[in-house]
Amino acid sequence: MTSATTSASHARRTTDRVGPPRRPRSAVPAVTLGAIWAGAAGVLALWWSDTASVVGAGEWLTDAGRITGLLAGYACAVLVALMARIPLLDHSVGTDRLARWHAMGGRYTVSLVLAHTLLIIWGYSLTAHTGVVDQTTTLLRAYPDMLEATAAFVLLVGTGIVSARAARRRMRYETWHYLHFATYLAIFLAFFHQLSNGADFVANRPAQAAWYTLYIGVAVLIGWYRFLVPVRRALRHRLRVADLRYEAPGVVSVHLTGEHLDELGARPGQFFRWRFLAPGLWWTANPYSLSAPPLARHLRITVKEAGGHSAALARLRPGTRVWAEGPYGSFTAARSRSRKTLLLAGGVGITPLRALFETLPGEVTLIYRARRPEDLALRAELDAIAAARGAVVHYVVDEPAAYSSPLTARALSRLVPGLAAHEVYLCGPPGMTDAAKRALRGAGVPGRHIHHESFEF
């Protein structure tokens, strides 16, 4: 069942397709990072303008606490904005990259919150010549909004703990997702503490106005893109489950029908967050890619059983109402800058690549890896697409071992002549994608030509 024998009878390579025009790379990611760092510089400038001098160990510690507190407050607003699902950022920066920025920023934010708390208590205790425990008690009793700030501290640190990779592996995605909402409450509780106790805000009306503008602006983005837009689209498009079809062991396709779906602007390779209004499913929205090009009245996702939510989809009934948030992601043809493309899929990672396989212009090669031949979902469709467009599809399975192929630079180069000149779209489980990236770079594919969108949020 290896690639050479399976694809030879179904596909042929052609070289007369016209490749896509080269597109300039989006400046949005660089501009976004520049704006974030400019805001951080503005926060430091606020501290600098309000600080005449720093004398003694107590003042040094206290001012270090002021700086870390200001940066933590600013970082909280940035973290929420990154996850506001703003279409401009999502389609140009990419959902996976935004999620990585958010995760990295979250670690820095929790560290800043811890540093701010410890430095302020230590600095105040040195200045007042009191013990750390006595100073902590004084802060809680005598300063306004400190109890709320303490609760925010506990929530933020707790969220940081459950978001650590080791902890997340031990809990369901839905559980982690809803625990993560505690950060909204933490940010709300900490906000007024910043204004009432922050030396840089007390009696500084312009600074207060800027802080209110920042936080209210982020709240508006969250309210609009994460709540109002999904509700409006649900009422407009009236999505329902039309049919279920089994594609492989533990893999099911959910066919959905609705109204005016072309208005969503969905593109092959993108995903939605799906909320199925059925018992046990309505309370969570999980990300699944489109597994076929979107149509005006029809969408399709293909899901592998990997948890409670995905397993329950196989029990959906036709007519079930569906809310779809999206489309999200930049894993689309817009990334392509070459007339030769390799699609490399592992397991259920075939879903977005199947839609791209049908629609990408130019010369397209698909490598689909699975554990066993029966795990190759959507295989009949892939063969039909390959035959229709003159593309090549290679199937690689781990079992039986006689038909397996290692995921190495040499093996990939044998399957795809001139691999280094290809644009690569990669989707699969984390271990497979990490190995594929190493193999592709070893085969000479530049990192900027390897496109990978992860759903390990």
Side-chain angles (χ1 to χ4, degrees):
M1 295 294 295
T2 59
S3 53
T5 58
T6 303
S7 62
S9 62
H10 293 286
R12 64 188 184 280
R13 183 180 299 275
T14 62
T15 58
D16 56 351
R17 289 184 179 269
V18 177
R22 293 183 63 87
R23 299 173 176 87
R25 292 191 178 273
S26 173
V28 174
V31 171
T32 301
L33 284 177
I36 292 172
W37 285 110
V43 167
L44 294 176
L46 174 62
W47 167 81
W48 181 269
S49 65
D50 287 337
T51 305
S53 62
V54 182
V55 179
E59 287 193 17
W60 276 105
L61 291 171
T62 299
D63 275 79
R66 286 172 56 195
I67 292 173
T68 52
L70 285 168
L71 290 174
Y74 170 71
C76 284
V78 171
L79 290 179
V80 174
L82 289 176
M83 291 289 100
R85 300 175 188 168
I86 302 169
L88 175 64
L89 295 183
D90 191 89
H91 297 163
S92 55
V93 178
T95 305
D96 61 330
R97 192 190 301 185
L98 289 172
R100 289 195 297 270
W101 290 358
H102 176 84
M104 180 177 64
R107 291 189 287 271
Y108 287 131
T109 302
V110 172
S111 299
L112 288 168
V113 168
L114 288 168
H116 165 69
T117 303
L118 297 175
L119 289 167
I120 287 293
I121 293 173
W122 192 6
Y124 278 25
S125 67
L126 288 180
T127 302
H129 304 288
T130 60
V132 170
V133 175
D134 290 338
Q135 188 59 50
T136 302
T137 303
T138 299
L139 287 170
L140 290 174
R141 289 180 175 178
Y143 285 73
D145 301 313
M146 283 303 300
L147 290 178
E148 293 85 347
T150 302
F153 172 84
V154 173
L155 288 172
L156 282 173
V157 173
T159 302
I161 292 173
V162 301
S163 296
R165 184 169 298 181
R168 283 198 56 188
R169 288 173 178 167
R170 290 172 170 79
M171 68 176 66
R172 297 170 59 196
Y173 168 83
E174 295 84 2
T175 303
W176 169 85
H177 179 73
Y178 279 94
L179 287 174
H180 214 64
F181 277 131
T183 55
Y184 290 127
L185 177 59
I187 292 170
F188 175 78
L189 292 173
F191 177 75
F192 296 101
H193 145 74
Q194 299 173 62
L195 298 180
S196 60
N197 295 309
D200 302 287
F201 295 108
V202 175
N204 188 337
R205 295 291 185 184
Q208 292 178 19
W211 221 240
Y212 269 110
T213 300
L214 174 64
Y215 273 74
I216 291 174
V218 171
V220 168
L221 291 174
I222 287 289
W224 180 256
Y225 288 114
R226 297 198 65 166
F227 296 99
L228 294 180
V229 168
V231 170
R232 178 173 61 86
R233 287 183 171 176
L235 297 175
R236 170 68 173 167
H237 301 295
R238 300 182 181 276
L239 272 170
R240 294 181 182 274
V241 174
D243 191 19
L244 298 177
R245 296 179 187 174
Y246 288 91
E247 308 289 359
V251 179
V252 63
S253 284
V254 182
H255 294 255
L256 305 113
T257 185
E259 302 175 4
H260 315 292
L261 300 184
D262 52 324
E263 296 177 3
L264 292 170
R267 292 176 290 175
Q270 290 188 310
F271 69 96
F272 288 77
R273 287 181 170 87
W274 305 90
R275 187 183 303 273
F276 296 90
L277 304 188
L281 294 175
W282 63 267
W283 60 283
T284 186
N286 280 24
Y288 300 115
S289 295
L290 297 175
S291 61
L295 302 175
R297 292 188 57 83
H298 181 263
L299 300 174
R300 188 185 75 176
I301 59 174
T302 301
V303 181
K304 180 179 176 61
E305 180 179 338
H309 188 277
S310 54
L313 297 189
R315 300 189 295 272
L316 287 171
R317 295 182 178 180
T320 301
R321 292 288 302 274
V322 184
W323 286 20
E325 303 173 29
Y328 297 121
S330 61
F331 195 63
T332 67
R335 287 189 175 187
S336 180
R337 291 169 179 80
S338 172
R339 62 189 302 272
K340 295 182 178 181
T341 305
L342 168 64
L343 307 178
L344 180 52
V348 78
I350 189 61
T351 54
L353 298 185
R354 182 263 179 245
L356 287 169
F357 189 43
E358 182 176 346
T359 57
L360 274 173
E363 298 179 16
V364 182
T365 301
L366 170 65
I367 299 177
Y368 183 9
R369 303 179 63 92
R371 190 165 67 88
R372 303 168 302 173
E374 55 266 34
D375 294 326
L376 295 166
L378 306 172
R379 181 172 177 178
E381 294 182 18
L382 298 172
D383 288 339
I385 294 169
R389 67 171 298 164
V392 171
V393 56
H394 297 295
Y395 300 109
V396 179
V397 295
D398 296 330
E399 301 174 6
Y403 299 108
S404 65
S405 176
L407 192 50
T408 63
R410 178 177 295 180
L412 288 177
S413 297
R414 282 200 305 265
L415 290 176
V416 187
L419 176 57
H422 284 66
E423 204 90 17
V424 181
Y425 289 75
L426 171 63
C427 191
M432 174 263 182
T433 55
D434 290 343
K437 287 178 184 177
R438 291 192 295 269
L440 290 166
R441 292 193 183 103
V445 180
R448 66 182 182 276
H449 291 170
I450 302 173
H451 310 299
H452 167 236
E453 192 153 67
S454 169
F455 299 106
E456 295 293 309
F457 299 151

